[in-house]
Each structure stands twice: as C-alpha cells, then as structure tokens.
Amino acid sequence: MRTLKELDARGKRVLVRVDFNVPLKDGEVADDTRIRASLPTIEHLLNQNAAVVLMSHLGRPKGVDPKYRLRPVAFRLEELLRQPVHYVPFPPGSDEAYEAVQNFGPGTVTLLENVRFEPGETKNDPELARRYARLGEAFVLDAFGSAHREHASVVGVARLLPSYAGLLFEKEVRALSKLLSGYERPYAVVLGGAKVSDKIGVIKSLLKRADKLLVGGAMAFTFIKAKGGEVGDSLVEEDKLDLARELLAEAEALGKPLLLPVDVVAAPEIRPDAPREVVPADGIPKGLKGLDIGPETRERFKAALEGSKTVFWNGPMGVFEVPPFDEGTLAVARAIAGLEGAYTVVGGGDSVAAVNKLGLADAFSHVSTGGGASLEFLEKGTLPGIEVLGGLP
Ligand code: ADP
Ligand code: MG
C-alpha cells in the first residue's frame, strides 16, 4: 500500500477522498469526529503547500438533494483548520466544479459537493472517474469508512492517478491488521448488536483467531433459541437458526468458548419507563423482550475478559440508545477500557457512540471510524480500497 509519506506534494494539486459522512442537525454538523479524523492528512498536505481538493459522500441522496449538501461541513472544517475552505456547490464531476478548482492555488483547501449527487458514483462509472481525475495530479484515499465500496471516488479515480493512503487510512489498516495477525493472546472478541446476519463473516474469521467469543445484544437470542431456549418476544432471526447452530458447532469443534448471556433485562416494550425484570436468558416469558444483558452476565463477561491481551469489540450489548437499557453496554465498555496492558479495539457505529458517550475513547488502543469497512476488513483481510493502493503494507 502506497502511503502519504511517499508523495512529494509540494506545489501539487492533490485530490483527497475523505469520509465526511457526518450527522447533521438543524443545518449544522452534530458530531465532527469524522472531520477531525482527517485533519492530520489535510494538515500534512498543507504543510507541503499543496492545493488540497477534498471530496466525500454524505448520506444516501438519489441525485442532487439540497438536504445533503456539504456546505455545513465546509463551515465546520473551516473552524477546525482555522483557514478558509472554498466550498464548490456543483456536482464534483461537472465542468463547473473543474473550472472552480482551477482558481485555487497552493496552500488552499477546497471542498467539493457530495459525490453521491453523481449518478455514476456508486456504479463506479469509468467516465465519472476520469472526470474526478482531472481535479488533481495525485490522489489520496483517507476515507477508510468507504474502503469497502467499489465507488468511482474510491477505487475508480485511484486507478487513474498516482494514489496513496492518507494518514487516517493507514492508521486504521495498521490498527485492524493487529487483530488478524501478530496479536498477543489471550485474545477475546465481544460481539453484540442487532443481527447475526450482519456479522457472520466476522464471527467466522475471528473464531479462527480469538481464544473466546462473548456474544450479547439481540444477536444472542438467535443463538439461544438455536440451542432450544425460550426467548419470549425478543428479536430473533428465524431464518438464521441453522446458521447459529453451525457457528456454535464450529466454536465447539475448535474448542473455543462462545459465551452467551445467562440472564437478561426484559421489558414488554422499548421505553425508558417500561417495567423491567431480570429473567434467565433462555427462559424469557412470552410478552417480554430481552433488551440488555443482565447483572450476572455482566459479571461473567467481565471475568472472561480479565487477563486478555487483545480485545476486539463490536456491537452494543442491549438497546443502549434507551437508558436504562444501556447499562450492560456501559459495563462491558468499562471492563474493556480497564484492562491493563491490553490491545483494545472498538469498531462499529453504535458501539463507538457508546464509548464516546462514556468518555472512554482514550482508554481504548484504537477506536475505529470504519463501521462496515472495519468488519469487512476483519472478515476478508483486505478491502477494495486497500488493493487499489497496492495491497496490505
Ligand atoms: P454497531 O453499529 O456497533 O456495529 P449494530 O448496528 O450491529 O452495532 O447494532 C446496534 C443496534 O442493535 C442498536 O440500535 C441496538 O438498539 C440494537 N440492539 C442491541 N441489543 C438489542 C436487543 N436486545 N434488542 C433489540 N435491539 C438491540
Ligand atoms: Mg450500527
């Protein structure tokens, strides 16, 4: 993988694909984590007096849609960089965008409009990739969160220009690679979230590498039901019961513990003030849903994590958006954050939000901005965006 250090950007116009897919609220950036994450790459290029041209997607607009304009992002970026950001309000493949970019010289920062305003973006249209390639003399891919997508602004344009991984991209690849090889043991993986089906690939890949797997969240109920437990009205993927049995058998064949909840906090519905009960995880009465791991499970998970040297965590242990069903997730976050001398990584939009909510981000070795890209990387060991830059470092 070619990296930014190999690029002599002095006086060059450099096109940079970032992931500025941030949440907006009332026309302003509600969480600027992803913008901050690419500041090192942007500042590195500015220090070399490059003309920096940024592009990103935002949301999932179908064509031009005023709701998904990047203007609020340009404002926030301007504040963070303490220098003007030229916002170009035309679709990034258009002649208008190309002409606008010609006006900005060395040391400037330009933010192009949402790449998803271009119908060819997600189809990796070669003509669109050529139009993007006119916008710079070199290309830097810093959008790790999009590296699993074969889109024109990710892989298409990278094939047409001298291309390099940005500093964030490189940091993500290095941090996640340590979960696939060269890790210290014992190695524990904690998985939660809504669906088993989202995470089959990761479970299979990490089951081979880790020493134990801890499963919470709604996804645990598919496993519990597959083992014959009663899960009441909890979320279950009925069509994944066979798969869950297969995964359980695989763990057993490998001699690796796959820990499931023994108790859960259950309620008739997802409401902060709903009446709660702690019940056995495999004996949830009809009319109740398991919404969080119970106190006994929290203790067992904590004990199982004790002494780990490598931990990967993805997916909340319960409906953490609705307190008090966040307690199990918070307990697990604290347990991982408190491990001494361990290499700890959290990935996934919701689990990272939980860690941030607790102010525990600094206690983790790495907080991945990747989401789907991180999971796909851990499953396959590479991503289209990595391959196009020359493969793993
Ligand atoms: P991540 O974004 O960290 O990868 P997921 O998107 O896979 O995590 O899952 C997060 C979602 O799972 C949250 O919206 C959460 O409410 C939901 N969830 C977790 N546990 C339960 C549960 N027991 N019942 C219903 N939903 C749950
Ligand atoms: Mg999610």
PDB file of all heavy atoms in Angstrom, residues 193-194 198-199 314-316 320-321 348-351 371-372, ligand 2:
ATOM      1  N   GLY A 193     -25.101  -6.164  19.142  1.00  0.00           N
ATOM      2  CA  GLY A 193     -25.825  -5.505  18.067  1.00  0.00           C
ATOM      3  C   GLY A 193     -27.066  -6.260  17.683  1.00  0.00           C
ATOM      4  O   GLY A 193     -27.445  -7.233  18.350  1.00  0.00           O
ATOM      5  N   ALA A 194     -27.655  -5.816  16.597  1.00  0.00           N
ATOM      6  CA  ALA A 194     -28.989  -6.287  16.272  1.00  0.00           C
ATOM      7  C   ALA A 194     -29.000  -7.662  15.613  1.00  0.00           C
ATOM      8  O   ALA A 194     -29.755  -8.550  16.007  1.00  0.00           O
ATOM      9  CB  ALA A 194     -29.687  -5.254  15.399  1.00  0.00           C
ATOM     10  N   ASP A 198     -25.558  -9.654   9.979  1.00  0.00           N
ATOM     11  CA  ASP A 198     -24.577  -8.599   9.650  1.00  0.00           C
ATOM     12  C   ASP A 198     -23.148  -9.055   9.930  1.00  0.00           C
ATOM     13  O   ASP A 198     -22.204  -8.447   9.432  1.00  0.00           O
ATOM     14  CB  ASP A 198     -24.782  -7.366  10.556  1.00  0.00           C
ATOM     15  CG  ASP A 198     -26.045  -6.611  10.222  1.00  0.00           C
ATOM     16  OD1 ASP A 198     -26.597  -6.858   9.126  1.00  0.00           O
ATOM     17  OD2 ASP A 198     -26.478  -5.782  11.040  1.00  0.00           O
ATOM     18  N   LYS A 199     -22.996 -10.053  10.787  1.00  0.00           N
ATOM     19  CA  LYS A 199     -21.675 -10.298  11.355  1.00  0.00           C
ATOM     20  C   LYS A 199     -21.141 -11.708  11.146  1.00  0.00           C
ATOM     21  O   LYS A 199     -20.132 -12.084  11.740  1.00  0.00           O
ATOM     22  CB  LYS A 199     -21.705  -9.963  12.856  1.00  0.00           C
ATOM     23  CG  LYS A 199     -22.488  -8.667  13.124  1.00  0.00           C
ATOM     24  CD  LYS A 199     -21.875  -7.690  14.061  1.00  0.00           C
ATOM     25  CE  LYS A 199     -22.517  -6.322  13.891  1.00  0.00           C
ATOM     26  NZ  LYS A 199     -22.669  -5.543  15.086  1.00  0.00           N
ATOM     27  N   ASN A 314     -17.345  -5.219  18.973  1.00  0.00           N
ATOM     28  CA  ASN A 314     -18.275  -4.603  18.030  1.00  0.00           C
ATOM     29  C   ASN A 314     -19.709  -4.919  18.428  1.00  0.00           C
ATOM     30  O   ASN A 314     -20.057  -6.073  18.641  1.00  0.00           O
ATOM     31  CB  ASN A 314     -18.028  -5.130  16.607  1.00  0.00           C
ATOM     32  CG  ASN A 314     -19.189  -4.796  15.681  1.00  0.00           C
ATOM     33  OD1 ASN A 314     -20.165  -5.539  15.602  1.00  0.00           O
ATOM     34  ND2 ASN A 314     -19.116  -3.666  15.038  1.00  0.00           N
ATOM     35  N   GLY A 315     -20.530  -3.884  18.524  1.00  0.00           N
ATOM     36  CA  GLY A 315     -21.971  -4.056  18.734  1.00  0.00           C
ATOM     37  C   GLY A 315     -22.378  -3.945  20.184  1.00  0.00           C
ATOM     38  O   GLY A 315     -21.823  -4.631  21.048  1.00  0.00           O
ATOM     39  N   PRO A 316     -23.359  -3.079  20.486  1.00  0.00           N
ATOM     40  CA  PRO A 316     -23.811  -2.903  21.870  1.00  0.00           C
ATOM     41  C   PRO A 316     -24.478  -4.161  22.449  1.00  0.00           C
ATOM     42  O   PRO A 316     -25.007  -4.987  21.722  1.00  0.00           O
ATOM     43  CB  PRO A 316     -24.811  -1.752  21.780  1.00  0.00           C
ATOM     44  CG  PRO A 316     -25.133  -1.575  20.344  1.00  0.00           C
ATOM     45  CD  PRO A 316     -24.014  -2.162  19.546  1.00  0.00           C
ATOM     46  N   PHE A 320     -28.876   0.318  23.815  1.00  0.00           N
ATOM     47  CA  PHE A 320     -28.174   1.318  24.629  1.00  0.00           C
ATOM     48  C   PHE A 320     -28.664   2.732  24.351  1.00  0.00           C
ATOM     49  O   PHE A 320     -28.410   3.637  25.134  1.00  0.00           O
ATOM     50  CB  PHE A 320     -26.665   1.227  24.394  1.00  0.00           C
ATOM     51  CG  PHE A 320     -26.222   1.964  23.180  1.00  0.00           C
ATOM     52  CD1 PHE A 320     -25.575   3.188  23.286  1.00  0.00           C
ATOM     53  CD2 PHE A 320     -26.495   1.468  21.927  1.00  0.00           C
ATOM     54  CE1 PHE A 320     -25.196   3.895  22.154  1.00  0.00           C
ATOM     55  CE2 PHE A 320     -26.125   2.159  20.793  1.00  0.00           C
ATOM     56  CZ  PHE A 320     -25.478   3.374  20.906  1.00  0.00           C
ATOM     57  N   GLU A 321     -29.399   2.937  23.244  1.00  0.00           N
ATOM     58  CA  GLU A 321     -29.915   4.277  22.935  1.00  0.00           C
ATOM     59  C   GLU A 321     -30.998   4.664  23.930  1.00  0.00           C
ATOM     60  O   GLU A 321     -31.350   5.838  24.048  1.00  0.00           O
ATOM     61  CB  GLU A 321     -30.559   4.327  21.542  1.00  0.00           C
ATOM     62  CG  GLU A 321     -29.743   3.832  20.382  1.00  0.00           C
ATOM     63  CD  GLU A 321     -29.994   2.366  20.065  1.00  0.00           C
ATOM     64  OE1 GLU A 321     -30.027   1.537  21.006  1.00  0.00           O
ATOM     65  OE2 GLU A 321     -30.144   2.046  18.869  1.00  0.00           O
ATOM     66  N   GLY A 348     -17.494  -0.130  14.825  1.00  0.00           N
ATOM     67  CA  GLY A 348     -18.950  -0.172  14.630  1.00  0.00           C
ATOM     68  C   GLY A 348     -19.580   1.112  15.110  1.00  0.00           C
ATOM     69  O   GLY A 348     -19.273   1.589  16.209  1.00  0.00           O
ATOM     70  N   GLY A 349     -20.452   1.686  14.306  1.00  0.00           N
ATOM     71  CA  GLY A 349     -21.032   2.994  14.593  1.00  0.00           C
ATOM     72  C   GLY A 349     -21.637   3.098  15.985  1.00  0.00           C
ATOM     73  O   GLY A 349     -21.345   4.035  16.738  1.00  0.00           O
ATOM     74  N   ASP A 350     -22.473   2.127  16.359  1.00  0.00           N
ATOM     75  CA  ASP A 350     -23.197   2.234  17.625  1.00  0.00           C
ATOM     76  C   ASP A 350     -22.301   1.952  18.827  1.00  0.00           C
ATOM     77  O   ASP A 350     -22.412   2.622  19.855  1.00  0.00           O
ATOM     78  CB  ASP A 350     -24.401   1.288  17.621  1.00  0.00           C
ATOM     79  CG  ASP A 350     -25.438   1.749  16.608  1.00  0.00           C
ATOM     80  OD1 ASP A 350     -26.071   2.784  16.840  1.00  0.00           O
ATOM     81  OD2 ASP A 350     -25.585   1.078  15.569  1.00  0.00           O
ATOM     82  N   SER A 351     -21.415   0.978  18.711  1.00  0.00           N
ATOM     83  CA  SER A 351     -20.517   0.703  19.847  1.00  0.00           C
ATOM     84  C   SER A 351     -19.568   1.877  20.073  1.00  0.00           C
ATOM     85  O   SER A 351     -19.276   2.232  21.218  1.00  0.00           O
ATOM     86  CB  SER A 351     -19.716  -0.583  19.644  1.00  0.00           C
ATOM     87  OG  SER A 351     -20.045  -1.229  18.470  1.00  0.00           O
ATOM     88  N   GLY A 371     -16.800   1.272  10.878  1.00  0.00           N
ATOM     89  CA  GLY A 371     -18.104   0.626  10.738  1.00  0.00           C
ATOM     90  C   GLY A 371     -18.025  -0.582   9.816  1.00  0.00           C
ATOM     91  O   GLY A 371     -17.234  -1.492  10.047  1.00  0.00           O
ATOM     92  N   GLY A 372     -18.866  -0.559   8.778  1.00  0.00           N
ATOM     93  CA  GLY A 372     -18.925  -1.682   7.836  1.00  0.00           C
ATOM     94  C   GLY A 372     -17.573  -2.033   7.235  1.00  0.00           C
ATOM     95  O   GLY A 372     -17.266  -3.209   7.022  1.00  0.00           O
TER      96      GLY A 372
HETATM   97 MG    MG B   2     -24.950   0.195  13.590  1.00  0.00          MG
END
